[in-house]
Amino acid sequence: MSRRMVLILAVTCAVAVGNIYFPQAIGPLVAAGLRVSPDSAAAVVTATQTGYTAGMVLLVPLGDRLPHRSFLVVLLALTGLALLAAGCAPALPALIAASTLVGLTTLGAQIVGPLAAGLVAADRQGAVIGALLSGSTGGMLLARTFSGTLGEWLGWRAPYLVAAVLSLILATVLAFVVPTTTPSSPQTYTTLLAEPLRLLRTEPDLRRSCFYQATVFAGFSAVWTCLALLLAGPAYGLGAQAVGMIALVGAATMVCTPLAGRLVDRYGPDPVNLVCMLGVLVSAAILTIGTRGGTLGLTSLTLGTLLLDTAMQSGMVANQVRVYALRVDARSRLNTAYMTCAYLGGSAGSWLGTRVWSQAGWWGVCVLVALLAALALARHLLALYKFGESPARNRAANADGRGHHPGAGSDQTRVG
């Protein structure tokens, strides 16, 4: 697992994740170009996200049944073709259909994670997963800026066509540089689809990792859903551009996640998770100052969201390392269960955040974030001290569990 390979896989994550987010910035351009209402054009974003959720459930488990290289190449090629179809769509219905296919197939980041976990030694998994998550974060942040700027210059079709070319080029590169891997499971497709639910029932560490990420991601989503409402309100009177500028501060997490990964490699997932949960609690306290408005309030919002982003992303690294170590033969199915729970938590957080905002304003949203972090923290402390376990013994158990199973590390790899 060379640095070049890590870089290529991180770029794969960036391109795959960027395909989900770049349509958000060109909705008005799509509406004007196809002569439809902005509300109708917003269905393109919804279709992409719906397709992505369906792909997570229906296709990601196949990562344990199919060779990773072939699976990645096929997915990227299909994504490229779907993006070409979207860029050439003559009307909105065709664009919505193509966008659904884009979301369904742009799953590279969810396949790369289990692939990398099988290619790297156990004591480097955290660092590599942190680097891949850094790529995903970069793709999410830069995709909106890229598509918005390119769309303003060349029209709404240009971002789709450029993204299509990038996906097809990346598919060609991966066909030559990714090592051949042996599938870890011979199970049928229907069995693979049911497996994530069975793993949730039988793997306690999977359940608690899902609970940690779902609660923290719920608080994260609540903050970012309601931040635009706060900035547009009487305390600030700012527009959507201000939200975008604050979001760019989150680029710092691209540096923090690899560092968090190295800490996970050194100390295990549990201590890093503990620090991240405490970080979310502190961020909730800092964010409450945002109700004051003015320079002080805006500064607190910037620092609070930066801390929240860093804590959420770093916790994701720790949780993924723990999850991938549970069953080396079922990493894709474990990832399906984990990421589905995380996204369900995020959706619930957005829903709860808007309702709390309508009743209690920004103070209520900050209290919601603190309560969600406290739930995760209580569950974490219970896991640490249950049956008289000490933190030191728990760290030792985590260290033994991070891939020290028969065949861990480069377990599935046959260099081809």
Side-chain angles (χ1 to χ4, degrees):
M1 195 66 174
S2 65
R3 290 185 178 181
R4 186 190 72 157
M5 177 65 70
V6 174
L7 177 61
I8 291 172
L9 294 181
V11 171
T12 302
C13 292
V15 171
V17 171
N19 290 334
I20 305 168
Y21 289 95
F22 83 76
Q24 295 177 350
I26 57 173
L29 299 176
V30 171
L34 296 180
R35 297 179 181 179
V36 297
S37 68
D39 289 344
S40 298
V44 173
V45 176
T46 303
T48 306
Q49 294 174 339
T50 301
Y52 185 69
T53 304
M56 187 91 67
V57 175
L58 298 176
L59 297 181
V60 171
L62 285 171
D64 292 329
R65 182 68 177 84
L66 304 174
H68 287 118
R69 181 172 68 184
S70 302
F71 195 24
L72 269 174
V73 170
V74 169
L75 285 174
L76 283 166
L78 291 175
T79 301
L81 294 175
L83 287 164
L84 282 175
C88 298
L92 184 62
L95 178 58
I96 290 175
S99 297
T100 303
L101 291 176
V102 170
L104 185 68
T105 56
T106 189
L107 301 167
Q110 306 308 326
I111 306 302
V112 162
L115 165 65
L119 292 176
V120 71
D123 60 355
R124 286 189 61 217
Q125 282 188 7
V128 171
I129 291 172
L132 298 181
L133 188 57
S134 177
S136 297
T137 303
M140 179 178 64
L141 293 173
L142 297 178
R144 298 186 184 102
T145 303
F146 152 78
S147 63
T149 303
L150 192 62
E152 289 286 349
W153 288 349
L154 302 176
W156 70 267
R157 298 181 188 273
Y160 281 100
L161 298 177
V162 171
V165 172
L166 287 174
S167 295
L168 293 173
I169 291 175
L170 198 55
T172 304
V173 171
L174 292 180
F176 290 97
V177 302
V178 173
T180 301
T181 58
T182 303
S184 60
S185 174
Q187 292 177 317
T188 63
Y189 177 62
T190 52
T191 303
L192 289 174
L193 287 184
E195 190 75 359
L197 289 176
R198 190 188 71 80
L199 289 169
L200 278 171
R201 187 176 67 252
T202 59
E203 296 286 352
D205 277 348
L206 174 62
R207 289 198 300 273
R208 72 184 180 105
S209 293
C210 290
F211 183 76
Y212 296 163
Q213 198 60 37
T215 50
V216 171
F217 196 39
F220 172 88
S221 299
V223 166
W224 283 104
T225 300
C226 298
L227 184 62
L229 302 175
L230 174 66
L231 292 176
Y236 293 96
L238 300 174
Q241 187 175 6
V243 180
M245 294 303 295
I246 292 178
L248 283 178
V249 177
T253 59
M254 295 175 63
V255 178
C256 296
T257 48
L259 174 60
R262 289 193 289 272
L263 292 174
V264 172
D265 288 334
R266 184 171 181 179
Y267 299 107
D270 279 339
V272 175
N273 256 321
L274 178 61
V275 173
C276 291
M277 293 168 192
L278 293 173
V280 175
L281 284 171
V282 174
S283 74
I286 295 174
L287 288 169
T288 59
I289 306 173
T291 56
R292 299 185 179 184
T295 303
L296 177 61
L298 200 57
T299 301
S300 72
L301 292 177
T302 303
L303 293 177
T305 52
L306 175 59
L307 180 57
L308 178 64
D309 287 12
T310 302
M312 189 277 291
Q313 298 276 27
S314 299
M316 179 170 282
V317 174
N319 287 318
Q320 282 190 312
V321 170
R322 182 192 289 110
V323 166
Y324 288 152
L326 295 176
R327 288 267 305 275
V328 297
D329 63 325
R331 286 182 174 130
S332 291
R333 285 163 285 173
L334 288 165
N335 194 46
T336 297
Y338 172 72
M339 294 303 297
T340 301
C341 289
Y343 274 92
L344 288 174
S347 300
S350 297
W351 183 83
L352 280 172
T354 54
R355 276 143 188 83
V356 170
W357 167 269
S358 65
Q359 298 295 322
W362 186 248
W363 274 96
V365 174
C366 294
V367 171
L368 173 64
V369 174
L371 287 175
L372 289 167
L375 283 174
L377 183 60
R379 176 66 181 85
H380 186 59
L381 294 176
L382 180 63
L384 287 179
Y385 292 102
K386 192 175 181 181
F387 304 122
E389 289 185 358
S390 68
R393 289 176 59 190
N394 194 271
R395 284 197 298 271
N398 281 330
D400 289 339
R402 281 178 293 145
H404 293 281
H405 303 278
S410 55
D411 50 293
Q412 302 170 356
T413 306
R414 174 171 56 81
V415 177

